[in-house]
Amino acid sequence: MDDVLIVGAGPAGAVAGVVAARAGARVRLLDRATFPRDKLCGDTINPGTLARLRHLGLHEEIDRHGLKVDGMILTGERGVGVVGRYPQGVWGRAVVRRELDWLLLQQALAAGCQFDEGIAVQRVVVEEIGARRAVTGVAVGANGATRTIAAPVVIAADGRRSTIAFGLGLARHPSRPRRWAIGGYFENFLPTQSDRDAVATELPAGCLGEMHVRRNGYIGVAPLPGGLTNVCLVKPSGPADADLRDPSALLTRALARDPLLRDRAAGARLAAQPVVLGPLAVDVEPPTLDGLILAGDAAGFIDPMTGDGLRFAVRGGELAAAAAVHALEHGWSGVPERLAAERRREFAAKWRFNRLTRALVASPRAVDAATIGGQLVPRAFEALIGHAGDCYC
Ligand SMILES: Cc1cc2nc3c(=O)[nH]c(=O)nc-3n(C[C@H](O)[C@H](O)[C@H](O)COP(=O)(O)OP(=O)(O)OC[C@H]3O[C@@H](n4cnc5c(N)ncnc54)[C@H](O)[C@@H]3O)c2cc1C
């Protein structure tokens, strides 16, 4: 029998697998997808995430494959823009998620994890053990043919729509905000003036991530290796929104209407059909069952605006693996409480920042004020960008 069963081989699952396997646990990763697989994301690894990956020795291939990102541009409804470079000369990377997740999974395999792909987990198996209820494995399969896979520890790293967290009633979409994301890859999307200047002067600068906040949502833009550009539109919406049925038209129309982006997008074409996701926000309660740990988006998701979900996934994967190894060696007593406390210590300040940012972007006036303030006090804006990029963790 495996010691640790990890459901989901995205960044949270792969990193949890690396850490647990290096600590000597027998680890099995399961994923319903076959890898490499696509994942809608802004494709930006912020400096804090990169630092964690470096700490784990998982960065070399990412550095080889990714573009250097050394700051962000924020623009508001009135067209005011401000550039903030990350402080202390640190940088992030832009890598297509299909590639990033594949690279991390390879590292998990190299660390000794087993991997079964194309296996959809339906639910966790819960048993009464003495006076306590414990997760003892998972049920997998389809079309009525179900089998169980047993393990003393299950890590649910199955993403924002976690089958496990929703199945146990731990997760729910808050009533507000209800935002959807529409994301796609473009070819021939022109770079920002700032990126063009850097190339023209051959400065050793990296490129910039971009966040364009508008009255009805925001558009994130990230240059990628191979001449691709990632564009994600995030807007208030609902399943009845007819616009969501034609995401290509929705995305290209949003770009064509935008005074700052339309010229850069004029000659661009979609490299593939865009992807639609929503509602984005998910609130999750920590599990209290023995044998179960949540990691990554399965443990909750606030908003993509701050571009730091990968840090929660990577660091959350590390903490989940450490908790799993502790539980295997010393039993479950106190494990959920300690893990919850560690997650709060690591993430609570950023969760507050992200909730505040999520509320702020709903107010175009506040964003205009932030961009104007950023121009007047660039150091304060850089500190903000540094905080968003997890540079001080
Ligand atoms: C529009 C958008 C833009 C974003 N941009 C950024 C960004 O630029 N930078 C950043 O840091 N973060 C960004 N994020 C957040 C980031 O994408 C996530 O936080 C990150 O992917 C979380 O990783 P994860 O491993 O928890 O989940 P995932 O990467 O979603 O992986 C979950 C895995 O679980 C598998 N799975 C799901 N259900 C089952 C099941 N029942 N059985 C078996 N396997 C299952 C899936 O196939 C998948 O491989 C963005 C998010 C969105 C929505």
Side-chain angles (χ1 to χ4, degrees), residues 6-15 30-35 37-46 49 93 97 100-101 115-116 118-123 139-140 156-164 180-183 211 218 222 230-234 275 277-278 280 295-301 303-314 390:
I6 302 177
V7 182
V15 168
L30 299 178
D31 203 294
R32 67 180 171 199
T34 50
F35 278 64
R37 58 100 179 90
D38 292 316
K39 158 77 180 87
L40 174 58
C41 183
D43 291 335
T44 307
I45 305 171
N46 76 15
T49 312
R93 293 274 175 199
R97 275 296 297 276
L100 172 68
D101 293 14
F115 177 48
D116 295 338
I119 305 237
V121 167
Q122 295 174 334
R123 57 184 171 79
V140 302
D158 52 343
R160 209 178 42 80
R161 299 298 300 268
S162 169
T163 306
I164 294 176
W180 259 247
I182 304 97
M211 192 51 72
Y218 56 86
N230 177 314
V231 178
C232 281
L233 165 69
V234 174
V275 175
L277 278 187
L280 292 174
D297 283 0
F301 186 79
D303 197 273
M305 166 84 188
T306 38
D308 51 7
L310 285 168
R311 180 161 190 285
F312 294 128
V314 169
D390 294 315

Side-chain angles (χ1 to χ4, degrees), residues 71-118:
M72 290 290 301
I73 297 177
L74 174 70
T75 77
E77 177 73 18
R78 288 198 292 172
V80 182
V82 57
V83 174
R85 303 269 167 194
Y86 292 128
Q88 302 151 1
V90 298
W91 63 86
R93 293 274 175 199
V95 188
V96 176
R97 275 296 297 276
R98 183 182 177 82
E99 192 146 4
L100 172 68
D101 293 14
W102 179 237
L103 292 173
L104 291 175
L105 179 57
Q106 300 301 313
Q107 301 275 2
L109 300 183
C113 296
Q114 301 295 309
F115 177 48
D116 295 338
E117 55 189 341

